[in-house]
Amino acid sequence: MSEGQGSTGNVLAAICSFFIPGLGQLVQGRVFKALIMFVLAALLWVIWLGWIIHLWSIVDAAMYRRD
C-alpha cells in the first residue's frame, strides 16, 4: 500500500501540524518545509495572521504525496 492522500501517516502529520505548525512536515521528514512553516507562522502570529500559515501547514501535511 502506497502512502498518499488520506493515509494514516498523513492524518497523523495533519494532527501534529494542528498543534504546532510545521510539526507534521517534520514527522514526514520534510525538515526544510517544517522550518518554513514554523517560522512563517511564528512571524505572522505577531500581526494576527499566523492562522493562515497554520491552516496551510495542516492542509499541506494532509495532502502530501511522496514522489
Side-chain angles (χ1 to χ4, degrees):
M1 183 169 132
S2 65
E3 286 196 31
Q5 235 174 322
S7 72
T8 304
N10 283 7
V11 171
L12 177 62
I15 292 169
C16 289
S17 280
F18 175 78
F19 292 105
I20 300 174
L23 184 59
Q25 287 75 15
L26 191 61
V27 167
Q28 292 170 330
R30 301 186 296 154
V31 177
F32 185 69
K33 185 85 173 228
L35 184 62
I36 289 171
M37 295 289 187
F38 183 77
V39 170
L40 281 177
L43 290 174
L44 288 177
W45 271 115
V46 172
I47 56 173
W48 295 100
L49 292 175
W51 61 272
I52 295 170
I53 302 298
H54 202 143
L55 289 177
W56 177 32
S57 175
I58 295 167
V59 171
D60 178 70
M63 297 183 69
Y64 176 67
R65 286 189 186 174
R66 294 192 193 278
D67 292 331

